Amino acid sequence: MTRFDVLTIGNAIVDIIARCDDNFLVENGIIKGAMNLIDAERAELLYSRMGPAVEASGGSAGNTAAGVASLGGRAAYFGKIADDQLGQIFTHDIRAQGVHFQTKPLEAVPPTARSMIFVTEDGERSMNTYLGACVELGPEDVEADVVAESRLTYFEGYLWDPPRAKDAIREAARIAHAHGRETAMTLSDSFCVHRYRDEFLDLMRSGTVDIVFANRQEALALYKTENFDLALAKLAKDCKLAAVTLSEEGSVVIRGNECVRVGASAVRNVVDTTGAGDLYAAGFLHGYTSGRSLEDCSRLGNLAAGIVIGQIGPRPMVSLADAAREAVLL
């Protein structure tokens, strides 16, 4: 028996989300569709130029944990915050979702991380992230008993930006494998892949990571190719299992010689794509840790992703478990 189904580890970030047009991105030097790392000074500048905004606890792996819990799974989360107002907001929100979160906050600077997210009319989100307290996540924040008692430990590729987090991830993976558990990671962002390609490949090929999540662009970037079939073939060779999202085309999952393609869930209106990949991972991992088929795992992932892109913010505002039961997936 395990205490948790999925443990996620990531950058604990409060999202500040506002709408804008493409001209705003150009005028402010923001790369559309990317996660841009910024310093405190630029964070203040962009915040001053934002229109009306919505604050919502986010962070890729935190969103995934919230999605698992919304589906009825048992989720835990590691992520570093500060003992400040945004840190208190983050703590309240993730616990209110039913996620176990006990990471000790920083008592002083740097402050809790925040990401200014600009959503254009096409629903694309451009993230500008000040990591703040996230850079202080280290091996001392790994709760060994939680890792040992989780069926699967999942972390975000973004953690390769703050240096001490790498040691925390490797320690968590060591504990997980020592207890017969599995590990998973998301490649997070094609720009992140370009920064850490060799290290990501080593995590996969060394067996530190068993399962990989990516979108089409990240998979192509990982192998420096424009041939998607080639990228899939290499993923199948380099890891135990890989799930790749394909936007409106759904997703494809590969495990050895097995390949499963599932179409996307119907979405009436794309409002905000923030969190789509995170919630796909949540649905897939909930199915996977429940012993479901790869096809069912993919359908749960597509369903969760489809729901979150129909709303503002990266965490589900409706019960994913109810939605999955209505779709006869649970």
Side-chain angles (χ1 to χ4, degrees):
M1 293 295 293
T2 55
R3 185 176 166 200
F4 302 106
D5 300 312
V6 180
L7 160 67
T8 74
I9 309 175
N11 289 325
I13 299 171
V14 175
D15 293 335
I16 305 171
I17 307 167
R19 292 192 171 279
C20 74
D21 57 25
D22 286 328
N23 287 335
F24 180 91
L25 301 182
V26 174
E27 291 168 359
N28 288 278
I30 297 169
I31 301 173
K32 185 174 182 178
M35 193 283 281
N36 308 280
L37 288 176
I38 59 175
D39 58 19
E41 183 178 357
R42 182 156 171 78
E44 291 296 329
L45 175 66
L46 290 179
Y47 185 72
S48 71
R49 295 179 177 177
M50 293 183 90
V54 174
E55 289 186 359
S57 296
S60 176
N63 298 338
T64 298
V68 170
S70 184
L71 282 160
R74 301 166 300 164
Y77 176 73
F78 298 163
K80 203 70 171 177
I81 57 170
D83 188 11
D84 56 18
Q85 183 178 5
L86 289 183
Q88 291 167 8
I89 289 172
F90 185 93
T91 299
H92 169 270
D93 288 354
I94 198 163
R95 289 179 179 169
Q97 294 272 359
V99 177
H100 171 90
F101 173 56
Q102 296 293 337
T103 305
K104 184 179 179 181
L106 293 174
E107 295 181 0
V109 294
T112 298
R114 71 286 315 266
S115 182
M116 270 65 70
I117 301 177
F118 297 95
V119 182
T120 43
E121 292 180 0
D122 57 2
E124 185 64 82
R125 80 282 187 273
S126 305
M127 299 178 288
N128 302 268
T129 304
Y130 169 57
L131 289 175
C134 289
V135 301
E136 300 301 325
L137 181 74
E140 68 277 7
D141 295 307
V142 174
E143 302 165 50
D145 59 327
V146 175
V147 179
E149 295 172 3
S150 299
R151 290 182 185 275
L152 184 143
T153 294
Y154 166 96
F155 67 93
E156 59 190 68
Y158 287 137
L159 281 175
W160 247 242
D161 286 312
R164 295 183 68 244
K166 298 180 183 181
D167 294 332
I169 292 302
R170 291 191 174 98
E171 174 64 7
R174 183 194 66 77
I175 296 168
H177 287 137
H179 288 82
R181 314 301 188 194
E182 291 182 296
T183 59
M185 74 173 291
T186 171
L187 297 185
S188 292
D189 181 290
S190 58
F191 294 90
C192 188
V193 173
H194 288 307
R195 291 195 294 273
Y196 303 111
R197 178 184 294 108
D198 291 342
E199 291 180 71
F200 286 175
L201 287 171
D202 180 66
L203 288 171
M204 296 158 57
R205 292 168 178 170
S206 67
T208 303
V209 168
D210 301 302
I211 301 170
V212 173
F213 290 86
N215 62 29
R216 188 197 305 267
Q217 292 72 28
E218 292 156 7
L220 294 173
L222 185 64
Y223 294 106
K224 294 191 285 188
T225 180
E226 294 300 318
N227 186 325
F228 184 59
D229 289 336
L230 176 62
L232 285 181
K234 290 190 173 184
L235 268 174
K237 182 179 178 182
D238 284 341
C239 59
K240 176 180 175 181
L241 186 155
V244 183
T245 56
L246 307 171
S247 299
E248 67 277 2
E249 296 176 33
S251 60
V252 57
V253 181
I254 50 175
R255 181 169 57 189
N257 294 324
E258 189 177 2
C259 180
V260 176
R261 293 179 181 267
V262 173
S265 296
V267 180
R268 292 182 181 178
N269 185 30
V270 176
V271 175
D272 174 12
T273 59
T274 307
D278 307 333
L279 270 294
Y280 174 85
F284 188 97
L285 290 174
H286 180 63
Y288 185 79
T289 55
S290 301
R292 297 179 179 273
S293 69
L294 294 184
E295 182 175 355
D296 282 350
C297 292
S298 299
R299 292 191 186 284
L300 280 168
N302 290 344
L303 175 73
I307 288 173
V308 82
I309 66 176
Q311 63 172 53
I312 287 287
R315 301 214 176 151
M317 295 180 180
V318 299
S319 167
L320 294 182
D322 287 347
R325 281 190 286 267
E326 185 177 339
V328 199
L329 291 175
L330 286 183

